[in-house]
Amino acid sequence: MAGDASELGPSLQPGGSAWDGAEELTRLMESCRSIAGAANPDAFNQRMGLAMEQLFTWSAFVVIPGDGGMESLDVQGGRRLGAQGRHFFAEEIRQSSRAESVTLPHLRWQAEPATGADARGAPSLIFPFTGRGGRRGLLAVLPADGVVPDAGARRLVASLAQQAGVWWERWRHGEEDRRTARDALLEQLPCGVILLDEGGRVAALNGVAGRLLAQLSGPEPAAGRSMEQLGLPLGSLPRNTEVEFSGCRDQRRYTLRWDALPGTGESISVVLSDVTAERGAREQAMQAEKMSVIGEMLSGVAHELNNPLASVLGFSQLLLSQCTDERQHERLSLVVAEAQRARRVVTNLLDVARVRPPERVAVSLDELVTSILALFAYPFRVDDIEVEWHPAPNLPPVSGDRARLQQVMVNLVSNAHHALRHCDKPRRLIVRADEAAGRVRLQVSDNGGGIPESHLDRIFTPFFTTKAVGAGTGLGLAICARIAEEHGGTIHVRSQVGEGATFLLDLPACRIPAPRQVKPGAPPVEVAGLRRLLVVDDEDAFRQLLQEALSEHGTEVVTAADGAAALEEMAAGSFDAVVSDLRMPGMNGMEFHEQVKQRWPAMARRFVFITGDVMDADVRAFLESCGAPHLPKPFGLQELTDTLARVALAGHEGTGAVLDFPEGNPGETAT
Ligand code: ADP
C-alpha cells in the first residue's frame, strides 16, 4: 500500500500510538541527524533501523534508492517473518516500484524464514521519495505483527522516507566523486587493476588492464564478465600471492595477484602486469653474464693455445720455405693448413663469445660463411646434413663488425641445424650469397619442418621460442635483426610448414677490399731495409722462430725475454724495428714502450706489437694511442714480414736514410 507524505498534511500531528508530541519530535530530529551522518549504506541501514525502532514498531523494512545501480539489497529485520509474510511484503514492494517507476533490485533477506510464523500483520507502509536529480526511491516498512499504524505513524515513516531520499542523493554524489577520483587514480598506475563486484564480475578496470585482458582473452569488453570467462580462474590461484604465467594467445609473461578489497565485503581487486620486457631484460643480463664468463674462460684458453700455435705455424712455414723435397713439402703444407685451421677455430670461438671489440672493417662474407660452416662441419656430419655453399664470384665485402656478423650466421645456421635434426632425410642446408644493386644478399635455406604462418611475424621478437625450456632462449633471431639493422641491412624469412625456411639477410656492399688472406704455405719474404731487429717475448719457441726465420734473409735478430732485458739491448746497440709481446712477466710491453718513448722517442714509432690473447680495454686504448701496428698470435710469417717492411719503410721516410743510431744510445739522434 503506497502512500505519499504530502497527503498526510503539511506537518506532523500529535495523536496515534507512535506519536506523542514534543518529545517524539525531538526524537525524530535526533534520528534524522543520526541518519544524515551515516558514512555508507550499511551504516545508513543500521541507523535507519534504530530510528524506526525508537519511533515505530516494525518487523521488516528496506530503503530502495531507485537509481538502478544496485544489483541486490538487504531487507532489514524480517527474522520472525515466515516465507509467506516475506512473499507478501516483497509483492507489495514490487507493485509500488512499478507504480513509481523505481528500478527494483533483488531483495535479500537477512536470515532463513522462521518456521510457523508466516502470519502477516498490517499492510506495508510504502513511501516513495525523490532526490534532487528527480530519481525516485522507496521506503517500505512492514509493521510488526498486531501493530496497526495510525496517521501519526504513517507521517513518521513518510518523514523518514524523505530523509532517506536526501541521504541517498548525497551518498550518490559522493560516490560518483569517489568513483571519478578512483578511476583517475587507477589510470595513473603502471599495472593493470581490475575491480570485481560481489558476484565476481568486472566492475571497473583501468586502461592497462583493458589492454592486457584484450591481449590475454580477446577484444570483447571485459566489463560484466567473470575472471573465469576471461580465462583467469582466480579460484585456482592463491590469495594475495603473485603468480606468474604465460599468455596462451601471445606467449608473453604476466603476473597476477588478487585479494579482497578491504571494507567492501566481497569485492575483489586483481593486479595484472605484463612482465615480458622485465623478464627479458633479466634473461638478457643473465645471458650477458654467461657470455662474459665464457669470454673470460675463452680468452684464457686462447692465450694458452695461441702461443704454441704461433710456433707451430711459424716453424712449419719456415720449414716449408726451406724445403726442396716434394713429399716433405706436401706434408709441411698440410701442417701449415691444419695449424691455420686451428687458429680459425680459436678466432671463431672468440668472435662468437663477443670478446673482441666492435669494429667497422671490410668483411668478406665468403670467408665468414666458410669459417662458420667449418665450425658446424662435425655436427652436420653426425646428423647427416648435406651442406651447399654458393658464393657469387667476385662477391664484394660488406662493411661491418666481423664478430657480430659471425653471430648472425651462427644463429641462422644453428636454427637450421635444429630444424633439420627433427625432420626426415635428405636434410639439406643451402647457403647462397649474391650481389644486387649495391647490396649483398645472403640466403640460408633449409628443408626442415618450416615455420607456421602464425609464427612468422613473431620469430624476430625477443623471447619467442618454440624450443623446449633450456633448448632455446628466443633471442637468436632478435639479435640477428638488431645486428642487421646496425649494419644498415635487413633480415626476412620465407617459410611454409613442411617446406623448410629461407632467411634472407641483406647488407650494403662495401667498396673497400677485404684484407688479404694469407695462403697456407706462402714462404716468408725478405724484409727490405731491416738489418737489425729486436724481438721481445717471454716464449722461448717464439723468439727462436723469429730469429731463425728472419736471420735467414740477412736480418740480425737480437732477442730479449722481457722489457728490462730489451732496454739493456737497446742501450747497447741500434735497431731498425722492435717486435714486442704485450703480456710478459716483469716489465710488460706497454711499460717497455713507455720507457723507450722517454729515452729514444723515434724508436717508439718502430714497434710492432704481438698480442697473445684477447685484448682488454687498457690494451686497446694503449694500441690506439700509440698507433703501432699489432698482430694477434698466431700469425703467418708473411703477415709479420709485411708489417715489419711497413715499419722499416716508415722509419726510412720519417728519419731520412739514417737508421743507425750512435753506439750505445740511439735516443741522441732521434727526431
Ligand atoms: P631460439 O632458437 O632460442 O628459439 P630464435 O630467435 O633463434 O630463438 O628463434 C625463434 C624461433 O623461430 C624458434 O624457436 C623456431 O620456432 C623458429 N625458427 C627459427 N629458425 C627456424 C628454422 N630454420 N626452421 C624452423 N623454425 C625456425
Side-chain angles (χ1 to χ4, degrees):
M1 178 193 289
D4 195 310
S6 57
E7 51 174 74
L8 301 170
S11 63
L12 294 165
Q13 296 295 321
S17 59
W19 179 251
D20 198 10
E23 196 192 330
E24 306 297 341
L25 184 59
T26 312
R27 252 198 254 154
L28 177 63
M29 283 173 66
E30 270 170 14
S31 299
C32 287
R33 203 174 301 126
S34 159
I35 292 165
N40 55 47
D42 280 346
F44 166 78
N45 277 335
Q46 206 184 5
R47 292 180 185 201
M48 191 78 177
L50 206 67
M52 290 212 296
E53 205 99 79
Q54 286 174 353
L55 299 165
F56 181 73
T57 317
W58 54 274
S59 65
F61 84 91
V62 61
V63 182
I64 299 155
D67 59 357
M70 307 197 80
E71 295 253 332
S72 58
L73 258 184
D74 285 336
V75 179
Q76 307 297 311
R79 284 189 191 83
R80 290 195 307 273
L81 211 58
Q84 202 187 354
R86 290 180 178 191
H87 172 76
F88 283 128
F89 185 48
E91 191 47 42
E92 280 176 328
I93 294 172
R94 229 182 321 274
Q95 281 171 16
S96 298
S97 64
R98 262 202 299 275
E100 300 293 337
S101 306
V102 169
T103 312
L104 190 64
H106 169 70
L107 296 180
R108 278 189 319 221
W109 295 86
Q110 280 176 331
E112 288 303 306
T115 48
D118 272 348
R120 56 170 313 212
S124 323
L125 298 178
I126 300 180
F127 290 95
F129 54 80
T130 42
R132 268 171 303 190
R135 284 177 289 200
R136 291 173 81 82
L138 293 177
L139 168 63
V141 184
L142 185 65
D145 207 7
V147 174
V148 180
D150 59 7
R154 291 165 64 79
R155 280 195 197 94
L156 187 65
V157 178
S159 290
L160 289 175
Q162 289 314 317
Q163 188 62 30
V166 171
W167 188 88
W168 271 107
E169 193 63 17
R170 260 207 355 251
W171 166 257
R172 230 178 342 236
H173 276 297
E175 183 72 338
E176 268 161 26
D177 290 349
R178 275 192 293 278
R179 197 169 296 148
T180 312
R182 180 201 67 193
D183 291 349
L185 183 72
L186 289 186
E187 284 309 320
Q188 301 295 318
L189 296 176
C191 53
V193 179
I194 305 159
L195 302 179
L196 305 181
D197 63 18
E198 296 85 355
R201 281 175 295 269
V202 175
L205 72 169
N206 63 358
V208 178
R211 275 197 302 282
L212 296 185
L213 287 177
Q215 269 171 222
L216 276 163
S217 46
E220 300 81 41
R225 295 165 76 196
S226 69
M227 294 305 276
E228 281 71 18
Q229 286 169 331
L230 292 165
L232 299 168
L234 292 191
S236 58
L237 304 177
R239 181 178 165 167
N240 198 17
T241 306
E242 190 170 272
V243 178
E244 189 169 330
F245 62 98
S246 281
C248 308
R249 295 161 59 98
D250 60 3
Q251 305 272 332
R252 297 181 72 80
R253 301 293 296 165
Y254 297 89
T255 57
L256 183 149
R257 177 194 285 267
W258 72 271
D259 204 351
L261 273 179
T264 59
E266 294 295 302
S267 299
I268 282 174
S269 68
V270 180
V271 179
L272 185 63
S273 303
D274 181 340
V275 292
T276 315
E278 257 171 59
R279 298 294 180 264
R282 201 170 67 186
E283 280 189 37
Q284 234 161 352
M286 274 163 59
Q287 184 78 0
E289 171 96 343
K290 208 163 74 187
M291 289 310 264
S292 109
V293 172
I294 293 175
E296 232 167 76
M297 206 179 74
L298 281 178
S299 84
V301 172
H303 182 76
E304 290 308 310
L305 280 179
N306 282 343
N307 278 321
L309 261 181
S311 305
V312 172
L313 188 61
F315 275 115
S316 53
Q317 283 182 331
L318 184 62
L319 290 173
L320 193 64
S321 71
Q322 298 162 344
C323 181
T324 47
D325 180 284
E326 205 178 313
R327 285 207 64 193
Q328 298 290 16
H329 194 278
E330 227 171 76
R331 286 174 187 154
L332 278 170
S333 295
L334 210 65
V335 175
V336 170
E338 290 299 288
Q340 282 179 334
R341 195 175 123 201
R343 172 175 74 168
R344 272 199 303 278
V345 171
V346 175
T347 313
N348 284 339
L349 286 173
L350 291 177
D351 283 346
V352 171
R354 290 190 56 201
V355 286
R356 283 167 175 260
E359 49 184 11
R360 275 284 180 277
V361 294
V363 179
S364 156
L365 281 188
D366 190 344
E367 279 168 35
L368 186 141
V369 173
T370 307
S371 70
I372 298 296
L373 292 178
L375 208 62
F376 278 83
Y378 178 71
F380 281 163
R381 226 182 8 256
V382 170
D383 290 317
D384 218 350
I385 295 169
E386 299 161 26
V387 182
E388 288 178 30
W389 168 213
H390 304 285
N394 302 322
L395 191 70
V398 294
S399 163
D401 184 316
R402 193 177 148 81
R404 305 278 284 154
L405 292 173
Q406 264 176 325
Q407 196 174 359
V408 174
M409 193 58 198
V410 167
N411 291 352
L412 295 181
V413 172
S414 64
N415 276 345
H417 179 210
H418 186 272
L420 288 167
R421 261 167 50 201
H422 296 96
C423 72
D424 296 336
K425 294 174 193 168
R427 298 168 180 159
R428 243 178 242 120
L429 170 72
I430 302 174
V431 186
R432 292 177 200 283
D434 305 287
E435 188 202 2
R439 297 180 77 81
V440 175
R441 166 170 282 200
L442 190 74
Q443 289 190 39
V444 181
S445 308
D446 63 70
N447 65 339
I451 304 168
E453 203 185 333
S454 58
H455 290 176
L456 283 178
D457 54 350
R458 295 160 68 194
I459 56 172
F460 292 103
T461 50
F463 309 109
F464 174 81
T465 181
T466 53
K467 295 178 187 166
V469 177
T473 59
L475 285 173
L477 290 176
I479 290 172
C480 291
R482 208 180 55 215
I483 296 174
E485 196 187 324
E486 272 170 21
H487 284 79
T490 54
I491 184 164
H492 296 290
V493 63
R494 282 191 211 130
S495 180
Q496 270 186 1
V497 173
E499 295 189 11
T502 296
F503 283 85
L504 302 140
L505 175 70
D506 254 20
L507 295 168
C510 168
R511 292 293 142 217
I512 313 157
R516 185 167 59 90
Q517 274 285 92
V518 181
K519 293 280 173 292
V525 295
E526 189 181 340
V527 186
L530 194 68
R531 278 174 284 164
R532 211 157 179 258
L533 175 73
L534 177 61
V535 173
V536 193
D537 199 304
D538 59 323
E539 291 272 326
D540 296 345
F542 188 73
R543 288 199 308 273
Q544 194 192 333
L545 165 70
L546 291 201
Q547 199 161 35
E548 284 189 28
L550 296 170
S551 46
E552 274 273 299
H553 300 279
T555 302
E556 185 192 342
V557 179
V558 177
T559 61
D562 64 18
L567 283 175
E568 279 174 25
E569 292 292 348
M570 287 190 76
S574 62
F575 294 96
D576 297 322
V578 179
V579 172
S580 173
D581 195 3
L582 272 168
R583 209 202 268 198
M584 290 177 289
M587 185 186 290
N588 68 27
M590 290 188 278
E591 292 158 350
F592 167 50
H593 183 263
E594 186 54 41
Q595 290 287 328
V596 172
K597 201 162 128 190
Q598 283 172 19
R599 293 161 71 174
W600 310 290
M603 273 312 289
R605 291 194 290 274
R606 300 211 193 160
F607 269 64
V608 174
F609 284 108
I610 307 293
T611 49
D613 55 13
V614 181
M615 289 184 281
D616 61 26
D618 287 351
V619 171
R620 272 207 303 279
F622 165 76
L623 287 173
E624 263 163 39
S625 73
C626 85
H630 68 273
L631 292 171
K633 273 185 195 169
F635 47 78
L637 285 176
Q638 179 81 57
E639 285 169 80
L640 175 66
T641 49
D642 280 356
T643 311
L644 281 171
R646 277 209 322 272
V647 170
L649 188 66
H652 279 288
E653 284 166 355
T655 59
V658 184
L659 281 173
D660 288 344
F661 300 105
E663 193 82 4
N665 192 350
E668 279 171 17
T669 57
T671 52

